[in-house]
Every structure is written in C-alpha cells, then in structure tokens.
Amino acid sequence: MEAVEAAVKLGLISDDQPSLDLFDVDYFNKRVDSLLAAFPEDFFNHAMAVKANSLRCVMKLALERNLGAECASLQEAKHALKIGFPCEKVVYDSPVKTKKELQEAINLGLHMNLDNEREIQQVGEYLNTFSGETPLIGLRINPVVGAGNIAMISTATKQSKFGLPLMAETKQRILKLFKEHAWLSGLHIHIGSQGVPLEKFVQGAEVLMSFLASLEEVCPGQIKAVDIGGGLSTSYTEDSEPEEFQYKLYRQQLEQKVPLFFSGKYKIITEMGRSLFLKAGTSITRVENVKNWIEDQNPILLTHLGTNQFPRESYLPHIWRHRFSLCDSNGKRKEGQKLTVDIGGPMCFQGDYLAKEVPLPFPESGDLLVIHDTGAYTMAMYCRFNSILASPVYGVRRGKDGKINLQCYKDRESHDECMSFWGHESPKPVH
C-alpha cells in the first residue's frame, strides 16, 4: 500500500479529486519481459490491445518496449499512429468498417484484418485504382472451437458476429475468396479472452494452421502473416498471475501442436491486453458514507466508483469481481475483525453496486477503498451516464533508492471536458 500512502501524502485524494487510478509501470514491464522471453523472435509483432487501456502514457510504455498496437476502431488506430507506433505494427480489425474507413486504412499503410465478404469486395474495388503499395491485409476466420466460461467475450462459437465461420461446409467457400483475391495476405483468429482455457487457444491455432496448409496448396506463398489474436486469461481473485496461463506455457503448447509458427516463414501477430495490463492497475476511492440502519442487512458503503468505471462488474457481478482492501484516510492499511458490506457507486440507479458481500475491516467515512487489478477494461469502458467526472491516473515507479515516484498520466476530467460530450449550446443549421 506504499503507493496509496504516497498519493495521500501528495494530497491527491480530496473533495476536488475523491478517486484516482494508479498504474504500476514496474509490474507492467515485468509482464512485457515475460511475454518477450517466451516469444523473442523478431518475426513476432506483439500488438497490445488498445481497447484494454488506451491511455497515451501507458501506450507509450508499450511502444518503448517495441510492442505493436491492436486497434478495434480507426480512431484507436490513428491514436496509435499519433503516439508513434509504426503503421506496419498497427493492426486494425474492427468488425464493422465503412468503405471510407477501409480506404483510409489502406492509405495509412495499416495492417488490416477484414471481417466479411462485403469488406473484401469493397477493398478489391479500391485496390483496382490504388497506386500505392498494398499493405498487409488479412481475413478473420472463426475456427468454431466453442465458447469459454464467459459467453459474452467468447468469439469462436457458430453464432459469433466476428469473422467467417470455418467449418467443413464453408471451407471451400473461404478458400475461393483467397484464390480470387491475391492481395489477401494474412489470416486472423481471436477466440476470446477471460474465461477461455489455454487449450482452447491452442486448439484455435491448430484449426488455423490446418486451414493454412490447405490454403498453401491452392495459393502457394500468398500468406505472409498469421494473427493468432490474444486474450490470455488472468485472475481477478488472486494477487498473482495464474500459473496455467503463463506465456512460456502457451509457447510450449504451441510448439508441440503448431511448430510451423516458429519457423520464421510467417510474420506472427499476438494481441495481448488483459494479461499485460490488469494487475498493473489499482483504483482508489474515498468512502463518503457508511449506511448501517437495518440490523439484518449489510451496511452500504457509498463511494465515487461504480458503474461509471466498472460497468461489467455492476451488471454481471457473478462473473466480474475484484479484490478489495481498505485503508484509513492516511493510506494505512486497516486490519482486524471484518464486517460484510455492500459497495455502492455514485450513479443514480439502484443497480449501481461495485460489489456485494465484501468483507472489510469496519469501514468508516473518510476511509479509502482500494480496488485491485484494474489496469484493463475499466477506465477504457468509462460511462457518461450522470456525467460523473472521470478519475485521474498516475504512473507509479520505484526509484533506485526504493522510494515510490508518481507521475500524472491523466488529469481528472474537467467539467468542460465532461459537458462537451452533450453537444452544442444552440442548434446548428444543417445545409
């Protein structure tokens, strides 16, 4: 809890700023070290999932480690380019692209993964008149290996909205698309993320490489890049990364099942997000009030973080749940006998609970609630409902002297920044 104490001593928790996020730079770099140690070859592009954490300063940390950027929208792709990611390491794979976005991605030189036949047709028409160098363009296929434990983020079922389903009855149709469009030079899969067992990721890779073998027979040498997606799970309930999802274990299983990955024949892309960022993040909110009126009901903590920053946790608490600690107003960790409480957020609807049935050491107004493992899919999913100002974010590093150093990565959102979302002060004429 040293970083929490440091934040308090610097006056970063106040009425003007009752919540904040911390990002542990040293921990993030250790995760990158682990990834690069498992997959050190220069034909790998380890593209961070921008949707997991889109903060400029965090993305710059990834860029400094020579990671790429996997982008789920053209806005994310331009964001990555502006930060300094080279265009060939920016992977653009939105499932829904307009004709203009497809053309702009080609003009920008992005590595683009197409989703469907219509996108293939639109790109083909544009390339007929395009005079520049055609960038790497792949096609997303769905290996149909089934869902993991969390259906809403499993993308390899028959009814997945992503990519073209690869089954016995569709294989020839997909092969035909590659035969008819020689500029299709990549293959892409992504089967899901949290809750998907490691063997299912490997199974997806096996299906991909089996299809690639068939593709090489009909279009030899056409495929230059293979994007195996990402999404390795981590843990929200333990303080360490799960042994069964170590990057080196992933490598070992891929070497056993798909050794061609490591031949250097193809450029290989990974898309890691949660497993890189999650445990580097910590969110802190002041406890404003503790309601303890009804004897047989849990006391309710009222805080500044709920559905505004943790929508999945509020709407699907049986799936998404964090670890919590409690500090006093000076940032010192509280210990001792615990009380089971419900943690409410700041938003104006009854479902706004960060978690229920949480054991904490007798909370009081002014205490600091510490929410662990918030470095991915929290600030990136921030909600505009009720116009709650988004928290600031501070990068945390430990100096050579062992002391904690904080740097501001993002200021607390201002009133004007928040209100700009709600449009013009007066209607503007449309001509």
Side-chain angles (χ1 to χ4, degrees):
M1 295 296 174
E2 289 180 79
V4 180
E5 288 187 63
V8 172
K9 287 179 181 177
L10 289 168
L12 300 181
I13 299 284
S14 65
D15 280 356
D16 292 328
Q17 190 165 283
S19 63
L20 58 83
D21 279 13
L22 302 174
F23 188 83
D24 188 333
V25 177
D26 299 326
Y27 186 89
F28 168 71
N29 277 322
K30 288 178 182 177
R31 293 301 293 156
V32 177
D33 289 343
S34 179
L35 177 62
L36 297 181
F39 300 93
E41 291 88 350
D42 60 6
F43 52 80
F44 275 87
N45 173 19
H46 297 294
M48 61 156 285
V50 175
K51 58 182 173 288
N53 192 320
S54 307
L55 290 171
R56 290 181 179 87
C57 290
V58 171
M59 291 178 64
K60 283 186 176 180
L61 294 173
L63 177 61
E64 289 169 4
R65 300 303 306 273
N66 201 33
L67 301 188
E70 182 267 323
C71 304
S73 71
L74 191 60
Q75 286 66 244
E76 285 188 353
K78 290 180 178 179
H79 182 47
L81 291 173
K82 191 170 183 180
I83 286 169
F85 287 87
C87 60
E88 67 273 11
K89 298 195 77 169
V90 176
V91 182
Y92 172 46
D93 50 20
S94 166
V96 182
K97 311 176 191 74
T98 67
K99 182 190 292 188
K100 184 177 179 181
E101 287 173 331
L102 292 167
Q103 294 175 359
E104 191 167 359
I106 293 169
N107 294 343
L108 290 170
L110 306 180
H111 173 171
M112 178 167 56
N113 289 317
L114 305 182
D115 179 80
N116 53 66
E117 290 171 288
R118 186 164 189 266
E119 289 187 355
I120 293 173
Q121 176 189 346
Q122 290 173 322
V123 167
E125 291 171 353
Y126 183 63
L127 290 178
N128 286 335
T129 61
F130 181 66
S131 59
E133 182 179 349
T134 302
L136 207 162
I137 302 174
L139 176 64
R140 180 167 182 170
I141 64 170
N142 170 10
V144 195
V145 294
N149 298 327
I150 306 174
M152 68 179 297
I153 55 173
S154 296
T155 57
T157 63
K158 287 184 179 180
Q159 289 292 57
S160 172
K161 73 172 187 176
F162 294 97
L164 299 180
L166 175 61
M167 298 181 290
E169 59 267 37
T170 64
K171 180 178 177 180
Q172 291 303 317
R173 187 175 171 185
I174 297 174
L175 286 171
K176 184 180 178 184
L177 289 172
F178 281 90
K179 288 173 65 176
E180 293 176 347
H181 303 91
W183 46 263
L184 274 175
S185 55
L187 278 173
H188 176 217
I189 62 168
H190 178 74
I191 68 168
S193 54
Q194 191 70 13
V196 177
L198 188 62
E199 55 267 24
K200 204 167 282 290
F201 288 104
V202 177
Q203 185 182 353
E206 287 185 273
V207 172
L208 175 71
M209 295 308 284
S210 175
F211 176 74
L212 178 55
S214 298
L215 190 53
E216 287 286 7
E217 291 179 4
V218 296
C219 304
Q222 183 171 322
I223 299 302
K224 308 300 182 187
V226 176
D227 186 337
I228 60 173
L232 290 194
S233 293
T234 181
S235 173
Y236 285 77
T237 57
E238 303 296 331
D239 61 2
S240 59
E241 302 287 346
E243 290 292 321
E244 65 270 27
F245 287 102
Q246 292 184 68
Y247 294 130
K248 64 179 181 181
L249 181 59
Y250 187 33
R251 162 110 190 196
Q252 290 168 5
Q253 294 196 19
L254 288 173
E255 283 182 320
Q256 292 174 8
K257 300 294 186 178
V258 284
L260 188 58
F261 268 6
F262 304 97
S263 67
K265 181 176 181 179
Y266 305 103
K267 179 180 181 181
I268 307 294
I269 296 90
T270 69
E271 302 172 358
M272 302 299 176
R274 197 186 320 267
S275 63
L276 283 176
F277 297 114
L278 187 79
K279 288 188 175 298
T282 303
S283 299
I284 304 166
T285 174
R286 192 169 66 189
V287 176
E288 289 297 337
N289 295 288
V290 180
K291 288 185 177 179
N292 190 9
W293 281 64
I294 303 174
E295 186 174 341
D296 61 348
Q297 298 295 311
N298 292 341
I300 300 170
L301 275 59
L302 296 179
T303 75
H304 296 274
L305 294 178
T307 313
N308 52 324
Q309 192 167 316
F310 297 88
R312 284 176 170 170
E313 289 79 350
S314 294
Y315 290 118
L316 296 166
H318 58 292
I319 295 176
W320 305 99
R321 186 179 177 96
H322 291 263
R323 296 179 297 118
F324 299 93
S325 300
L326 196 66
C327 296
D328 63 21
S329 59
N330 295 315
K332 299 283 187 181
R333 185 169 189 153
K334 297 180 74 169
E335 303 287 355
Q337 186 178 356
K338 294 185 177 181
L339 183 68
T340 300
V341 302
D342 298 342
I343 302 172
M347 305 186 79
C348 191
F349 73 102
Q350 179 56 29
D352 182 32
Y353 282 89
L354 185 54
K356 293 187 176 183
E357 301 289 328
V358 180
L360 291 173
F362 281 84
E364 304 172 85
S365 296
D367 284 348
L368 302 178
L369 179 71
V370 179
I371 310 156
H372 299 280
D373 307 329
T374 66
Y377 299 102
T378 56
M379 183 63 73
M381 302 182 78
Y382 201 82
C383 174
R384 293 262 60 103
F385 185 53
N386 291 170
S387 299
I388 307 294
L389 302 182
S391 300
V393 182
Y394 298 91
V396 180
R397 296 178 189 258
R398 190 177 293 276
K400 293 181 180 179
D401 57 2
K403 293 182 179 179
I404 294 289
N405 299 308
L406 272 67
Q407 294 178 308
C408 185
Y409 281 9
K410 173 188 170 299
D411 292 324
R412 191 187 191 209
E413 189 177 29
S414 70
H415 172 79
D416 287 345
E417 287 169 338
C418 180
M419 290 299 105
S420 67
F421 181 83
W422 301 115
H424 306 303
E425 292 185 8
S426 302
K428 290 189 174 182
V430 178
H431 300 290

